[in-house]
Amino acid sequence: MDFIKRIIYPTHRTPVSNLQENFKDKWVVITGASKGIGFELSETLIAAKANLFLLARSEPELKQLCEKALQNGCKAEYRVIDLRDREALVRLCNDLHNQLPYIDYLFVNAGKSIHRKLINTLDRIHDFDRTMDLNFRALVAMSLALQSNIKSAKGKIVYTSSISTLYPSAPGWAAYHASKEAANVWCRTADVEYSSFGVKVKVAYMPLVHTEMSNVNETYRKMPAFSAKEAADILIYLSLNNRHSYMPWWARISTPIATLLSPIIRFIFRKFF
Ligand SMILES: NC(=O)c1ccc[n+]([C@@H]2O[C@H](COP(=O)([O-])OP(=O)(O)OC[C@H]3O[C@@H](n4cnc5c(N)ncnc54)[C@H](OP(=O)(O)O)[C@@H]3O)[C@@H](O)[C@H]2O)c1
């Protein structure tokens, strides 16, 4: 099992010396820093002596990370925020814009996943509002409001997306996948437009990661997957290399095949799911 995991989920750890070289004294903003991938990302960047601005709704975890960062000689701040709250988001963006003269890295990682068939969604338009607001709108609002700060640093925006958006649409995932796919398209467009001023916008098409989000599904809990730390290492690896996106090696092979076979896959979805 361990062997299979290593083949399907190859890790990309950046050496500590490289981490410090690239992140020491840089300003890094991370959304969804309180748990899972974002928490591990924050921990790794504290060790690299980055300056951090951390965002999420859970205060104790953000406070704990900031205390650790300060003890390690980093500058660190946090803001408790529900990123779906549009007014709070405007206030946050104004504060970040005024407080941080430049932003070297913006990791847009906070996310919400919903699996519910459309037939069970008749009175739940809010499922679509919530996923769009968090998974898509917050990315756009922050990137636009902080454009000049990121531009000053020739910085990078790294979005945590999902590999499942690259395959034929699976039943039950309309709200999650629509919001993630909207963000993918926005990132790809922004990467082209922002290239003239040296800003890169990257997408991590993340496969399964064992976190609170995926562990609600018992099947996923039993499947091989990245740990949150390994997924955080991938975000760092992507932020430092020249690629526009990350996906595991097998996705490069299987996504074109899945597109070719999509009529058959859709038939199976219709019949059995
Ligand atoms: N786990 C996977 O298998 C997997 C696969 C592909 C992509 N992803 C993506 O990876 C990213 C991180 O997910 P994860 O697996 O690390 O999940 P997680 O452990 O549930 O963490 C999600 C993070 O987002 C924050 N968040 C959720 N709702 C928020 C809101 N309304 N406002 C502000 N912050 C909010 C959470 O903090 P609070 O609850 O404290 O607000 C938490 O820090 C997500 O974008 C997810 O879609 C995950």
Side-chain angles (χ1 to χ4, degrees):
M1 193 71 163
D2 203 40
F3 175 70
I4 294 171
K5 198 224 152 187
R6 265 185 282 141
I7 299 219
I8 303 179
Y9 292 92
T11 53
H12 292 278
R13 185 163 287 190
T14 306
V16 176
S17 56
N18 258 15
L19 281 175
Q20 293 217 353
E21 200 178 300
N22 287 288
F23 286 100
K24 187 167 186 288
D25 299 328
K26 304 286 183 185
W27 269 106
V28 182
V29 177
I30 303 175
T31 74
S34 63
K35 291 178 200 154
I37 302 169
F39 184 87
E40 294 295 337
L41 178 64
S42 308
E43 290 263 26
T44 306
L45 294 179
I46 289 169
K49 297 200 178 294
N51 298 324
L52 299 177
F53 202 111
L54 305 178
L55 304 163
R57 292 168 303 177
S58 312
E59 183 159 26
E61 290 84 353
L62 297 182
K63 201 167 169 207
Q64 179 201 328
L65 282 167
C66 278
E67 282 168 2
K68 192 166 177 184
L70 294 171
Q71 279 163 14
N72 206 34
C74 316
K75 292 178 189 151
E77 290 192 41
Y78 69 86
R79 172 76 61 90
V80 175
I81 179 168
D82 184 337
L83 289 163
R84 297 168 307 179
D85 178 338
R86 296 183 177 196
E87 284 172 18
L89 189 54
V90 169
R91 284 195 297 277
L92 167 80
C93 288
N94 283 338
D95 292 348
L96 275 172
H97 176 72
N98 295 326
Q99 228 172 298
L100 304 182
Y102 54 85
I103 294 172
D104 297 277
Y105 299 88
L106 169 60
F107 286 96
V108 182
N109 168 76
K112 178 177 176 59
S113 158
I114 293 179
H115 182 257
R116 186 171 289 119
K117 288 214 177 146
L118 296 175
I119 192 73
N120 301 322
T121 312
L122 301 183
D123 56 351
R124 293 186 63 92
I125 185 70
H126 54 267
D127 280 359
F128 294 85
D129 292 338
R130 286 172 184 168
T131 45
M132 284 309 271
D133 278 356
L134 181 61
N135 299 344
F136 171 62
R137 194 183 178 283
L139 157 78
V140 178
M142 291 184 76
S143 303
L144 294 179
L146 303 174
Q147 193 170 285
S148 62
N149 311 61
I150 301 168
K151 191 174 156 189
S152 309
K154 291 198 183 338
K156 291 166 186 175
I157 300 169
V158 180
Y159 179 71
T160 316
S161 188
S162 167
I163 198 171
S164 47
T165 56
L166 301 174
Y167 293 93
S169 305
W173 293 102
Y176 182 59
H177 286 175
S179 62
K180 287 289 186 190
E181 183 62 351
N184 297 343
V185 173
W186 191 88
C187 287
R188 290 197 293 264
T189 311
D191 188 53
V192 173
E193 291 192 25
Y194 289 177
S195 63
S196 58
F197 45 81
V199 171
K200 294 200 166 82
V201 187
K202 295 168 173 243
V203 180
Y205 297 102
M206 201 61 85
L208 188 61
V209 184
H210 284 311
T211 63
E212 213 173 275
M213 178 183 286
S214 59
N215 285 346
V216 293
N217 182 315
E218 207 181 324
T219 314
Y220 291 164
R221 230 181 295 153
K222 292 179 188 150
M223 285 166 67
F226 278 128
S227 68
K229 166 69 180 145
E230 288 166 341
D233 287 344
I234 283 167
L235 295 182
I236 289 173
Y237 163 76
L238 176 61
S239 75
L240 298 181
N241 68 25
N242 284 327
R243 296 193 173 175
H244 300 291
S245 64
Y246 162 84
M247 65 182 80
W249 63 268
W250 43 266
R252 295 191 186 278
I253 302 165
S254 60
T255 49
I257 296 172
T259 305
L260 275 177
L261 297 180
S262 62
I264 299 170
I265 296 171
R266 288 164 70 86
F267 173 79
I268 295 169
F269 284 156
R270 279 196 202 103
K271 277 272 179 220
F272 303 107
F273 287 82

